[in-house]
Amino acid sequence: MRIWRLSLLAVLLAATAACHDSKGSKEAKPPPKPPAPPSTELVSLAWKPADANQNLQSFELQLTGAEIVSVCRKPPGWILEGSGAAIKGYATVGAGFVGAEHLDDLEGLFLIRTHAGQALGVSGKLLTGVYADDGGQSEIAATPALLSRQPAAQCPPVKG
């Protein structure tokens, strides 16, 4: 009679151990996900004028969490330079100022590579003016909302 008791006890211990192991695996946290690999994104300026007379004359931006890969296009009459995490642009003549009717000139300006695990931030300023008023310039602080981003592996082809 003792032999079957020992066998039953061994089976109960094995079942208890199996149940305990399955509970332990359910409670264990999954291994942390590795950080996302760096990605490239096409960036546009999402600046909008306050009224029909306001225009964008220049900007200087400093990125955090990303670096400039290349300048893709320049608004007509502008110089755009980007390296590292800094990009700046300015109109070379008044006719190059970007107003409400030419906001599409601010699309797809540069390609960035984001740093894995870091949020994109931006600091710097934009210089705006008012048509027909030399004293109407003002500076606007750059914020992340100023950048419109979309995934892209490279700059889009030049329209022509």
Side-chain angles (χ1 to χ4, degrees):
M1 222 153 106
R2 283 191 208 171
I3 294 180
W4 72 269
R5 287 183 188 168
L6 289 176
S7 299
L8 182 62
L9 187 58
V11 169
L12 289 174
L13 285 175
T16 303
C19 288
H20 180 67
D21 287 345
S22 67
K23 285 181 186 176
S25 64
K26 288 180 186 176
E27 293 173 4
K29 294 180 182 178
K33 292 181 181 180
S39 64
T40 53
E41 298 178 356
L42 185 63
V43 178
S44 303
L45 291 185
W47 173 80
K48 302 286 187 235
D51 60 46
N53 289 323
Q54 189 179 29
N55 57 58
L56 179 63
Q57 298 177 0
S58 68
F59 64 87
E60 291 183 32
L61 306 176
Q62 182 69 33
L63 304 177
T64 56
E67 61 189 42
I68 308 295
V69 174
S70 65
V71 173
C72 296
R73 65 184 293 253
K74 301 173 187 178
W78 277 65
I79 294 193
L80 222 61
E81 301 169 340
S83 71
I87 187 159
K88 66 180 179 177
Y90 56 93
T92 58
V93 294
F97 295 162
V98 177
E101 65 280 353
H102 296 290
L103 292 176
D104 58 336
D105 288 344
L106 301 176
E107 293 178 5
L109 296 178
F110 52 97
L111 194 67
I112 63 169
R113 179 175 298 112
T114 59
H115 298 162
Q118 294 183 15
L120 178 66
V122 64
S123 59
K125 63 184 177 181
L126 287 81
L127 181 64
T128 65
V130 178
Y131 289 114
D133 183 5
D134 290 337
Q137 289 184 325
S138 61
E139 286 186 3
I140 299 171
T143 66
L146 174 68
L147 304 181
S148 172
R149 304 161 33 198
Q150 65 184 43
Q154 60 189 23
C155 290
V158 177
K159 296 177 185 176

